[in-house]
């Protein structure tokens, strides 16, 4: 019943978004400059929605024929620092795409099998009892594939609540200065929360899955996760303004401080550095460098094309999203696509309002953020409007 209600609500929101986008298309000039129209789109997003304090958007055609990045709003509230195209931001769960790609690279190198149980790599102290469902302990049966695809059934440490208690995110909000470790987040899921279903029988998004995958990466490589990211991605791709919060630093000394993140009217930037955001959501980057990563992934520079196709083994997650192995797939219902042609997109979103997607139909990359955790539909509205502007000029 809960999933049906969520699906209906999401459909209503999508219809509203479609109507808003259609209205924006009526006022856009087909002969206008796309750079100017995109700039207006971003500035209007901040001006018209008081909950959005800053926004950045980057778009790039795969063949390099068009590229644009722009920003609006105030990046840092304490000093009134303006948001720019180069301002880093919390990518949040876009990090999962990096983590999953690292796992698939180790898979290509023969250092793991997707069917390996996580217990092969993780200590008993870390995982024993993390999945006891209706009296049966599945903790030692859960596979790497199930962690990657959110089909493990392990509870989400971040938003799920213990009976009669608060979620860990709510506790973050109550005491933003408190420090948490990655082990704390796994322990919370193991001791405070109940699993959702037997492994492999359903799908449910869980940040805990990716904390465990980060631990597996460290075990196999013998290196800290931030070093693995540096060696696999940041250095080879020259991502000089990208780092794992609290554990590494941007390679460029000229990198600005990350933009503020909001939960409604509340600035929650402090909790993003409390130590818990890691393999599940700890990367800081820029919109342009996010596209550099996704373009390299899509172009076979990080893993082989057949491995990427394996990551795109889609299954239903939560309308309108499907999930593969660390990758999201956004596809509107056919009737809505008949009204406005927002194409299917693959990539990943983040709880902070971040997004990184690729359109196969239009060979178009999109990345950015609105840094507002309460606006789930707005990033897709922004991407849809940007796509319509670019396609109207082709």
């Amino acid at each position: 019943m809960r999933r049906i209600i969520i699906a209906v609500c999401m459909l209503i929101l999508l219809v509203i978004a479609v109507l808003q986008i259609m209205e924006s298309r009526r006022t856009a000039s087909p002969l206008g400059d796309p750079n100017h129209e995109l700039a207006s789109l971003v500035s209007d997003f901040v001006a018209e929605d008081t909950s959005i304090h800053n926004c950045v958007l980057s778009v790039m055609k795969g063949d390099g024929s068009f590229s644009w990045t722009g920003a609006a709003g105030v990046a840092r509230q304490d000093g009134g620092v303006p948001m720019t195209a180069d301002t880093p931001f919390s990518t949040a769960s876009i990090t999962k795409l990096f983590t999953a790609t690292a796992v698939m690279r180790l898979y290509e190198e023969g250092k793991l099998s997707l069917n390996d149980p996580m217990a092969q790599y993780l200590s008993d102290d870390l995982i024993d009892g993390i999945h006891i469902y209706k009296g049966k302990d599945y903790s030692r049966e859960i596979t790497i594939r199930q962690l990657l695809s959110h089909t493990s059934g392990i509870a989400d440490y971040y938003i799920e609540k213990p009976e009669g208690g608060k979620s860990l995110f709510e506790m973050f909000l109550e005491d933003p200065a408190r420090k948490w470790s990655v082990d704390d987040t796994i322990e919370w899921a193991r001791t405070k929360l109940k699993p959702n279903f037997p492994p492999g029988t359903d799908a449910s998004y869980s940040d805990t899955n990716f904390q465990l995958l980060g631990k597996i990466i460290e075990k196999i490589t013998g290196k800290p996760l931030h070093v693995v990211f540096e060696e696999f991605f940041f250095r080879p791709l020259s991502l000089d303004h990208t780092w794992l919060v609290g554990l590494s630093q941007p390679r460029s000394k000229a990198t600005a401080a990350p933009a503020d993140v909001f939960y409604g009217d509340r600035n929650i930037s402090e909790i993003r550095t409390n130590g818990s955001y890691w393999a599940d959501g700890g990367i800081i980057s820029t919109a342009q460098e996010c596209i550099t990563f996704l373009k390299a992934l899509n172009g076979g520079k990080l893993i082989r094309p057949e491995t990427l196709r394996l990551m795109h083994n889609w299954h239903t997650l939560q309308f309108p999203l499907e999930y593969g192995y660390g990758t999201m797939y956004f596809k509107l219902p056919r009737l809505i696509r008949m009204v406005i042609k927002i194409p299917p997109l693959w990539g990943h979103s983040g709880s902070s309002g971040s997004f990184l997607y690729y359109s196969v139909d239009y060979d178009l990359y999109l990345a950015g953020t609105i840094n507002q955790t309460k606006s789930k539909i707005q990033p897709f509205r922004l991407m849809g409007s940007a796509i319509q502007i670019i396609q109207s000029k082709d």
Side-chain angles (χ1 to χ4, degrees):
M1 178 61 69
R2 178 174 176 269
R3 289 191 174 187
I4 294 174
I5 293 172
I6 291 173
V8 172
C9 291
M10 287 297 294
L11 182 58
I12 293 171
L13 289 172
L14 283 169
V15 171
I16 293 171
V18 166
L19 294 175
Q20 290 174 323
I21 294 168
M22 290 175 66
E23 181 63 27
S24 71
R25 289 180 69 191
R26 293 190 190 103
T27 59
S29 169
L31 299 177
D33 177 6
N35 294 279
H36 175 74
E37 290 190 19
L38 288 168
S40 296
L41 170 66
V42 172
S43 61
D44 288 349
F45 245 74
V46 176
E48 296 172 1
D49 188 337
T50 58
S51 73
I52 299 177
H53 297 264
N54 55 65
C55 174
V56 62
L57 170 69
S58 185
V59 295
M60 178 185 294
K61 295 285 285 186
D63 62 4
S65 61
F66 181 81
S67 178
W68 181 91
T69 304
V74 178
R76 303 287 297 183
Q77 300 298 303
D78 54 5
V81 179
M83 190 78 171
T84 73
D86 298 322
T87 302
F89 58 88
S90 171
T91 70
S93 284
I94 292 173
T95 303
K96 291 181 175 66
L97 191 55
F98 287 76
T99 300
T101 303
V103 170
M104 299 310 288
R105 176 164 168 170
L106 295 174
Y107 159 79
E108 282 190 347
E109 295 173 355
K111 295 180 179 178
L112 61 82
S113 166
L114 298 183
N115 292 323
D116 287 342
M118 66 176 181
Q120 182 174 327
Y121 304 99
L122 303 178
S123 69
D124 294 344
D125 289 344
L126 188 69
I127 65 169
D128 273 0
I130 200 170
H131 195 308
I132 301 175
Y133 185 80
K134 294 185 177 181
K136 181 175 179 179
D137 192 342
Y138 295 94
S139 305
R140 303 187 67 80
E141 300 178 18
I142 294 168
T143 66
I144 292 175
R145 188 189 305 272
Q146 290 166 344
L147 296 176
L148 282 168
S149 59
H150 291 304
T151 58
S152 72
I154 294 173
D156 182 1
Y157 81 83
Y158 195 57
I159 62 170
E160 292 188 39
K161 301 179 181 182
E163 188 172 349
K166 300 176 180 179
S167 71
L168 207 57
F169 177 65
E170 289 173 327
M171 296 180 67
F172 290 171
L173 293 175
E174 286 186 353
D175 188 2
R178 178 175 172 178
K179 297 299 180 183
W180 298 79
S181 70
V182 174
D183 285 357
D184 288 337
T185 67
I186 298 172
E187 178 72 5
W188 181 268
R190 189 173 72 88
T191 62
K192 303 291 186 181
L193 305 175
K194 297 179 181 180
N196 294 297
F197 48 80
T201 64
D202 204 344
S204 180
Y205 193 89
S206 174
D207 290 274
T208 315
N209 289 328
F210 277 74
Q211 301 289 61
L212 293 166
L213 287 169
K215 291 285 188 178
I216 291 171
I217 292 170
E218 290 193 328
K219 178 65 175 180
I220 292 174
T221 63
K223 299 175 181 179
L225 183 65
H226 64 277
V227 173
V228 175
F229 282 172
E230 181 74 24
E231 294 179 352
F232 282 11
F233 312 127
F234 303 166
R235 189 181 305 129
L237 298 177
S238 298
L239 305 183
D240 295 335
H241 307 280
T242 303
W243 70 97
L244 191 58
V245 65
L247 295 169
S248 59
Q249 298 294 325
R251 293 165 58 82
S252 172
K253 294 182 180 180
T255 302
D260 287 333
V261 181
F262 289 83
Y263 177 70
D265 293 332
R266 180 175 174 182
N267 189 331
I268 61 169
S269 302
E270 185 178 9
I271 73 169
R272 304 296 308 188
T273 61
N274 69 7
S276 66
Y277 297 87
W278 190 55
D280 63 329
I283 287 180
I284 308 294
S285 189
T286 66
Q288 291 166 311
E289 291 194 355
C290 282
I291 287 180
T292 297
F293 168 79
L294 189 59
K295 193 172 183 181
L297 174 60
N298 194 35
K301 295 181 179 180
L302 300 177
I303 55 176
R304 294 190 293 266
E306 57 266 30
T307 304
L308 180 59
R309 286 194 293 271
L310 186 60
M311 293 176 73
H312 291 176
N313 182 20
W314 309 118
H315 58 269
T316 300
L317 183 63
Q318 180 176 305
F319 177 85
L321 296 173
E322 297 181 13
Y323 211 83
Y325 299 159
T327 54
M328 281 183 173
Y329 184 61
F330 173 84
K331 185 177 181 180
L332 293 176
R334 183 172 176 272
L335 289 177
I336 294 180
R337 294 204 315 274
M338 289 173 63
V339 176
I340 183 168
K341 300 187 182 302
I342 301 178
L345 304 166
W346 72 264
H348 218 290
S349 301
S351 63
S352 61
S354 58
F355 54 91
L356 174 60
Y357 283 95
Y358 174 67
S359 163
V360 175
D361 293 353
Y362 297 150
D363 189 24
L364 184 67
Y365 295 89
L366 305 104
T369 189
I370 61 171
N371 279 321
Q372 175 54 259
T373 62
K374 284 193 170 182
S375 295
K376 304 302 181 185
I377 197 65
Q378 289 289 59
F380 291 98
R381 180 188 165 212
L382 179 62
M383 286 188 287
S385 297
I387 290 170
Q388 294 305 311
I389 289 172
I390 294 168
Q391 286 307 112
S392 70
K393 311 307 173 186
D394 284 353

